[in-house]
Amino acid sequence: MTIKVNANRPATHRKAIIFCCDNGYLPYAALAAEQILHSTPTHDFDICIAFNERPVTIPESLAHLGIRLLKVDIGTMFEGLRLDAGKSHDVYLRLALPQALADDYDRILYMDSDIYVQGGDFSALMATDLGDRPLGAVRDNIQWRSPGRRATQFKRLGLPAAPYFNAGVLLMDVANYIASGLLEACLDLGRREAPRMIRHDQNLYNSVLQGNWAELSPFWNWQYSWAARFFCDVQGPNVIHFIGNSKPWKDKDGQFPPRFRQHYSRFIRTHFPEHGDCHIPEAQLPPDGARMRKMLIKHLLSSKAIARYLARFPTDLTVIK
């Protein structure tokens, strides 16, 4: 497998935080990059944006972030893998990052663009011991309350229940990742089982690894859902991940606290005025509405299970191997 990489500048460090996105999601990735640098001003990592089929352009007003742009040409590597309608094969690009950048980086922290950074020492996170695991990740929220729950993809492939992670934040140990043959195994499974696969590489990763990964604290990938958002406000995680189709910048129903939308709006107006402003809902969720009552009841019923889950991580740098 030949992978070609063209970069706008040389690597500065041996670690990197990498977003994979196109111009549509660039404003959100750029805000996250700015937040990361604010959170860890003395850092020992590069911040990169990788792309393949859909190139990106960083505005001059964000030149101070020093973002490294990476054109990662994977050729026909991902042909035969299933795609959701309207998606390009770039949705699989993170699979190839360790092989593509092995000459530059020993550790890669991949992050989705729909995240919001509130704090955390990213240099310390990237230095954590993963043992001999190829990657570290945060358990998917389907298993926060029910850790033994069998993921739907495992059922479709006839695989047993196993710890299942969300691929929105992945700490990759480049040497172990490559040595384990993870990319090749994911490609083989993805082509062989394309009709039975659900969505994209998250299920490829989990189906191949079957629990062979290091578990990170949910503080690095707090999956912001209706069932856990109040716990989020109390716990104050480092990274909030806006999973699902609802996002703060297109919040028609007023589901998200206004602070998110306001921050995104200010940033986009300053650096990406051509992108268009965030959607402003007519009203926030009413305190006595059915959806609010549903969320409150869910939080009440799941509080003990969430407490058990969080207790497994005494600090945000605890890793379960």
Side-chain angles (χ1 to χ4, degrees), residues 73-233:
D73 184 355
I74 44 77
T76 60
M77 179 184 296
F78 299 143
E79 285 190 3
L81 304 181
R82 75 168 301 279
L83 280 178
D84 286 344
K87 299 293 185 180
S88 76
H89 282 104
D90 281 8
V91 297
Y92 290 104
L93 193 57
R94 60 188 147 184
L95 282 172
L97 293 179
Q99 270 87 347
L101 300 167
D103 290 341
D104 291 343
Y105 301 121
D106 302 314
R107 283 283 176 102
I108 292 172
L109 180 65
Y110 165 82
M111 306 190 83
D112 275 355
S113 302
D114 55 350
I115 63 163
Y116 188 89
V117 178
Q118 300 190 131
D121 186 339
F122 284 82
S123 288
L125 171 65
M126 297 182 73
T128 55
D129 181 12
L130 301 179
D132 60 354
R133 310 295 193 185
L135 56 80
V138 174
R139 193 176 287 254
D140 194 81
N141 68 345
I142 66 169
Q143 291 186 341
W144 285 16
R145 299 162 189 80
S146 306
R149 181 175 177 180
R150 189 182 179 201
T152 301
Q153 183 67 77
F154 293 170
K155 295 177 183 177
R156 293 189 66 166
L157 294 177
L159 297 173
Y164 179 90
F165 63 80
N166 180 280
V169 176
L170 298 174
L171 179 55
M172 302 169 171
D173 184 290
V174 172
N176 285 338
Y177 190 108
I178 294 173
S180 70
L182 185 53
L183 170 61
E184 295 82 359
C186 286
L187 293 176
D188 178 67
L189 175 67
R191 296 190 185 105
R192 189 174 69 251
E193 298 287 359
R196 294 199 291 174
M197 295 305 299
I198 303 171
R199 304 211 60 187
H200 305 117
D201 55 347
Q202 176 169 301
N203 281 313
L204 290 178
Y205 272 131
N206 277 285
S207 299
V208 168
L209 290 170
Q210 274 284 284
N212 182 30
W213 50 277
E215 188 171 355
L216 306 179
S217 163
F219 271 50
W220 296 105
N221 183 359
W222 191 284
Q223 294 142 57
Y224 199 80
S225 69
W226 69 273
R229 62 183 54 189
F230 298 148
F231 296 134
C232 175
D233 291 337

Side-chain angles (χ1 to χ4, degrees), residues 27 59-62 264-278:
E60 285 296 323
S61 59
L62 292 176
Y264 280 112
S265 290
R266 288 194 301 269
F267 186 81
I268 290 171
R269 284 197 300 269
T270 301
H271 302 291
F272 300 91
E274 74 288 350
H275 191 80
D277 206 350
C278 298

